[in-house]
Amino acid sequence: MPKPNHKEALLDAGLAAFHHRGYHATGVQEIVSSAGVPKGSFYSHFESKDALGLAALARYWEDRAKARALLRDAGLPGLERLDRYLAALGYSEDGCLIGNLTAELAQLDAFRQDLSRLWRQWTDALSQCLADGQRDGSVRTDVPATELARTVLALWEGAVLSAKVERSPKPLNMARRTLRHLLAP
Amino acid sequence: MPKPNHKEALLDAGLAAFHHRGYHATGVQEIVSSAGVPKGSFYSHFESKDALGLAALARYWEDRAKARALLRDAGLPGLERLDRYLAALGYSEDGCLIGNLTAELAQLDAFRQDLSRLWRQWTDALSQCLADGQRDGSVRTDVPATELARTVLALWEGAVLSAKVERSPKPLNMARRTLRHLLAP
DNA sequence: GAGACTAAGACGACCGGTCGTATTTACGAT
DNA sequence: ATCGTAAATACGACCGGTCGTCTTAGTCTC
């Protein structure tokens, strides 16, 4: 049984490096050095670099499960939940790993399915929140919740990209304002 | 004087490869093979791979100048111009080179400035069209044209990313519908 | 012949991954 | 509980290949 902290260290280091530098610009050597794990051990923990990449995506998604819980907070109207969720996601200079790797890797067979599933999961989570909002009256009802969710996600990811190149959280604030206006009844 | 078609061939091949596979996943060898140019000649035409990357971005932007002319079509209301422009941009399985390379390369000194400038130019072009729309009454006036332009661009880029992972133009159609609703007075 | 240009192949660094050996763990017998 | 052995795991050194770039020989033009 390998030491659990080696795998975790590799996962942490991989996630950080892929997020900051991108997937193909990051080598296995760099990850193992950063994780303080001998390179020969890498393949005891991950079958391949691709496997680590997929694991990093899954970890990134799971790391934001707490923020996603805000989308299900029954004590708030739907629109307010959404806004709190986006505020909780917040700004990062490196942007969003899912968006970044979608741009870089969506055309690769090894990644497309997982990326596609993440987008779907994300859309579903947003959609359920917005459907609740439609029931509680905080969200417009003339467009299906699913389409609204797709719009939210697209605008958010575009804003994150803009924030990345601008090195500023302003586009995220703009997106939140716009969404309040767009989604209100 | 190098043959002009070699440089063009390299630029075309580089643009296509960077767009389809991403920057770091594309090697100089692949580009020269695709362009039918000897590898040793590459550096007679481009100082470095980075230089080609930057040239490819500029080319991509220039290739869409014709579509951008639609934004300035004085015969149409501003909102209609915008929609025609987005329709003219259309769907591509590879997404948008500017968006893709922003995600992949915005953190690199060699690329940030050019990417940032492209986003600014794009935003300015959209902003002028929307300001015209505010004057002609086709676009809402309660939000400055610049902020609307940023929103348009963010939503579009996010939708392009979504379209890339979905392999479908549907997100782009959604974005156009949403923008009509969002921008109308 | 001189200078400019072209381009084949070499360069050092890096790539993801493999493999033989060393180390650790697990298990059965005593 | 201890020990010997087998199995599993870890990992240092290595693999063949690719990377972007450069060097230098060859070619062309004046």
Side-chain angles (χ1 to χ4, degrees), chain A residues 68-115:
Chain A
R68 276 199 304 286
L70 293 171
L71 294 176
R72 303 187 296 274
D73 183 349
L76 292 173
L79 189 53
E80 189 59 33
R81 296 185 207 169
L82 177 72
D83 194 59
R84 291 195 182 196
Y85 168 67
L86 296 179
L89 287 187
Y91 166 68
S92 154
E93 286 190 0
D94 293 324
C96 163
L97 186 70
I98 294 168
N100 294 346
L101 295 195
T102 298
E104 192 184 347
L105 306 172
Q107 308 291 46
L108 299 182
D109 290 342
F111 284 90
R112 172 183 299 288
Q113 193 173 19
D114 281 39
L115 285 166

Side-chain angles (χ1 to χ4, degrees), chain B residues 83-112:
Chain B
D83 194 60
R84 291 195 181 195
Y85 168 67
L86 296 178
L89 287 186
Y91 167 68
S92 154
E93 284 190 2
D94 294 324
C96 162
L97 186 69
I98 294 169
N100 293 347
L101 294 195
T102 297
E104 193 184 346
L105 306 172
Q107 307 290 45
L108 299 182
D109 290 342
F111 284 90
R112 173 184 299 287

Side-chain angles (χ1 to χ4, degrees), chain B residues 19-38:
Chain B
H19 198 187
H20 184 67
R21 294 166 49 67
Y23 184 78
H24 283 117
T26 302
V28 173
Q29 178 62 59
E30 178 182 341
I31 292 165
V32 297
S33 294
S34 180
V37 176

